[in-house]
């Protein structure tokens, strides 16, 4: 694997600053030692005050350069350490969340199985237990899929099948599937507008996007759940909005929520399940389609709006489209051959 050297990496800059520092120090000592006797003699014979002044000026400039190099190095090392620290903190939270997410469905499945094994459970209750176990298994599966997707994203190895869709229809079908999956009341989800334009998408990847955004809207609404989905097409883009009336997001957290592992933790927010992976995966999927995702919220307890913008088929860059469709054909040939 080839690694590109990033010359703006804080550690690299720090090393350069230290080398500059040492070089200047060496130069300073060399200059001082080699000129000291001459300068002293000249100064003593002619004008000691002038000689002293010029020496001071060079010494001052070198000293300043030296000091600035040290400060620049310290500054970058500080930023780098800070980033590392917050990453480690987020990662620790992630491990704690994943452990919790794995343990609680497993514990409940075990409990149902033990009850079924040790007691005489009536037929109707058995059905109920099985449904609850299926729900827990689905939860585990979705968690494992998120982790696998993240590792695929990081290795740039997401397998994608791109096709051209009338996007409004595709999104409506996806929403129907999501409502079914999360057992939502269809009246709580309102679809406004239509999108007759066409886009090149990977249907399954877009399903991950819709599932995550709807799931978040449900999780982060404490009162009655209500979600409005707005669709429209411009001459260049397909716009899709998810507008909820949930707990909202403060302004300073709005651009952080797409970072991997990031979750908002506040004592007054009840313990809501999650890992902080969902929106990061969503953003990567939208980017891989050449689109953008953003969030807007008036603030806490004032709902959130997630806006997705995807290029329509006619304006998607030709090279980008060719690349996507070629990759899909290759995959299809491989699976036909297998
Ligand atoms: P998870 O849902 O597993 O916590 P996400 O990456 O999906 O992870 O979301 C990151 C964080 O963004 C959430 O923990 C939550 O604090 C915030 N968030 C996401 N969606 C919403 C929403 N619709 N309303 C309020 N906050 C949200």
């Amino acid at each position: 694997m080839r690694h590109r050297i990033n010359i703006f990496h804080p550690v690299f800059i720090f090393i350069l600053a230290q080398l500059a520092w040492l070089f200047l120090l060496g130069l300073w000592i060399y200059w001082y030692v080699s000129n000291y006797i001459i300068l002293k003699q000249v100064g003593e014979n002619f004008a000691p005050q002038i000689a002293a002044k010029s020496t001071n000026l060079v010494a001052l400039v070198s000293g300043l350069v030296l000091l600035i190099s040290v400060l620049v190095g310290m500054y970058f090392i500080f930023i780098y350490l800070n980033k590392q620290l917050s990453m480690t903190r987020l990662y620790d939270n992630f491990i704690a969340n994943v452990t919790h997410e794995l343990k609680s469905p497993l514990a409940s499945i075990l409990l149902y199985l033990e009850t079924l094994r040790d007691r005489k459970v009536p037929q109707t209750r058995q059905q109920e237990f099985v449904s609850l176990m299926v729900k827990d298994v689905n939860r585990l599966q979705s968690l494992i899929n998120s982790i696998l997707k993240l590792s695929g994203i990081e290795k740039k190895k997401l397998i994608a099948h791109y096709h051209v869709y009338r996007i409004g229809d595709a999104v409506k079908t996806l929403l129907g599937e999501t409502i079914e999956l999360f057992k939502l009341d269809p009246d709580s989800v309102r679809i406004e507008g239509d999108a007759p334009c066409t886009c090149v998408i990977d249907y399954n990847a877009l399903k991950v996007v819709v599932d995550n955004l709807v799931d978040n809207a449900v999780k982060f609404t404490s009162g009655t759940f209500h979600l409005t989905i707005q669709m429209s097409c411009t001459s260049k883009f397909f716009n899709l909005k998810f507008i909820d009336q949930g707990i909202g997001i403060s302004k300073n957290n709005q651009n952080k929520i797409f970072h991997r592992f990031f979750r908002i933790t506040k004592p007054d927010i009840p313990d809501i399940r999650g890992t902080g992976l969902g929106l990061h995966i969503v953003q990567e999927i939208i980017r891989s389609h050449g689109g953008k995702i953003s969030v807007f919220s008036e603030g806490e307890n004032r709902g959130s709006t997630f806006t997705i913008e995807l290029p329509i088929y006619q304006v998607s860059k030709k090279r980008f489209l060719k690349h996507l469709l070629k990759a899909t054909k290759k995959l299809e040939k491989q699976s036909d051959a297998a």
Side-chain angles (χ1 to χ4, degrees):
M1 207 168 54
R2 266 175 53 203
H3 283 287
R4 281 215 345 245
I5 296 173
N6 176 9
I7 57 160
F8 295 110
H9 194 283
V11 168
F12 192 66
I13 292 177
F14 180 70
I15 291 171
L16 276 186
Q18 299 316 304
L19 284 178
W21 185 89
L22 284 173
F23 177 69
L24 277 173
L25 190 69
L27 212 66
W28 202 19
I29 294 167
Y30 174 73
W31 175 84
Y32 189 79
V33 169
S34 56
N35 289 291
Y36 178 69
I37 298 166
I38 303 165
L39 285 172
K40 204 178 165 201
Q41 280 171 358
V42 171
E44 277 169 1
N45 291 343
F46 299 104
Q49 70 281 22
I50 296 172
K53 257 186 198 163
S54 74
T55 312
N56 283 344
L57 187 71
V58 177
L60 184 74
V61 172
S62 314
L64 275 178
V65 173
L66 202 135
L67 195 68
I68 290 168
S69 314
V70 173
L71 286 178
V72 168
M74 301 276 272
Y75 172 72
F76 279 103
I77 233 185
F78 172 75
I79 291 185
Y80 183 72
L81 282 178
N82 223 15
K83 273 196 173 164
Q84 285 295 319
L85 263 177
S86 59
M87 206 56 222
T88 313
R89 227 175 292 132
L90 286 178
Y91 189 69
D92 285 348
N93 282 344
F94 167 73
I95 296 291
N97 289 330
V98 167
T99 314
H100 174 76
E101 289 287 294
L102 286 172
K103 269 167 89 176
S104 61
L106 272 180
S108 99
I109 292 171
L110 189 66
L111 190 73
Y112 291 128
L113 288 176
E114 280 173 353
T115 314
L116 287 173
R117 185 194 60 193
D118 300 337
R119 295 186 190 182
K120 276 208 153 92
V121 184
Q123 190 82 30
T124 47
R125 292 284 286 158
Q126 281 183 17
Q127 281 301 318
E128 202 182 307
F129 281 9
V130 170
S131 306
L132 289 168
M133 282 193 281
V134 168
K135 207 171 155 194
D136 282 328
V137 170
N138 281 337
R139 209 172 131 188
L140 284 173
Q141 195 184 30
S142 112
L143 174 69
I144 290 163
N145 282 344
S146 293
I147 296 171
L148 289 178
K149 272 205 186 73
L150 178 78
S151 102
I153 281 169
E154 306 220 308
K155 290 181 194 144
K156 303 265 176 252
K157 264 190 176 171
L158 270 189
I159 295 175
H161 291 86
Y162 291 95
H163 292 286
V164 182
Y165 287 86
R166 187 186 181 277
I167 193 73
D169 294 345
V171 170
K172 278 181 195 158
T173 315
L174 281 170
L175 280 168
E177 289 171 11
T178 309
I179 290 170
E180 174 95 21
L181 178 73
F182 296 124
K183 307 257 177 290
L184 300 177
D185 171 8
D187 291 339
S188 61
V189 182
R190 199 170 73 210
I191 301 174
E192 289 178 356
D194 192 16
C197 48
T198 47
C199 288
V200 179
I201 57 157
D202 174 345
Y203 188 86
N204 289 330
L206 210 65
K207 179 160 174 51
V208 173
V209 170
V210 173
D211 283 353
N212 264 294
L213 293 178
V214 173
D215 188 31
N216 277 350
V218 175
K219 281 194 307 189
F220 300 106
T221 297
S222 43
T224 319
F225 170 68
H226 237 286
L227 181 67
T228 305
I229 283 126
Q230 289 178 350
M231 291 193 253
S232 63
C233 290
T234 66
S235 58
K236 291 189 174 162
F237 296 103
F238 162 59
N239 291 307
L240 180 63
K241 284 183 195 286
F242 290 75
I243 308 165
D244 68 48
Q245 292 161 16
I247 62 172
I249 304 163
S250 65
K251 299 267 179 230
N252 65 333
N253 277 329
Q254 286 177 21
N255 55 357
K256 294 187 194 155
I257 58 171
F258 296 99
H259 296 174
R260 115 196 119 132
F261 309 141
F262 185 83
R263 306 192 76 217
I264 302 169
T265 43
K266 284 200 322 169
D268 56 323
I269 294 182
D271 183 24
I272 300 168
R273 70 187 161 81
T275 55
L277 290 183
L279 287 179
H280 177 68
I281 292 172
V282 164
Q283 187 181 50
E284 290 300 320
I285 290 175
I286 296 297
R287 280 184 180 162
S288 70
H289 283 73
K292 283 192 286 195
I293 178 164
S294 58
V295 67
F296 174 76
S297 171
E298 293 277 5
E300 286 172 28
N301 299 318
R302 303 181 67 178
S304 311
T305 299
F306 285 84
T307 305
I308 292 174
E309 193 181 83
L310 286 180
I312 61 167
Y313 178 66
Q314 289 82 346
V315 299
S316 290
K317 287 196 186 94
K318 284 220 169 70
R319 247 184 48 215
F320 173 70
L321 273 183
K322 255 193 208 159
H323 166 73
L324 295 184
L325 295 171
K326 215 167 109 187
T328 297
K329 278 202 185 117
K330 202 170 145 196
L331 274 172
E332 281 172 354
K333 261 190 203 155
Q334 278 170 3
S335 63
D336 283 352

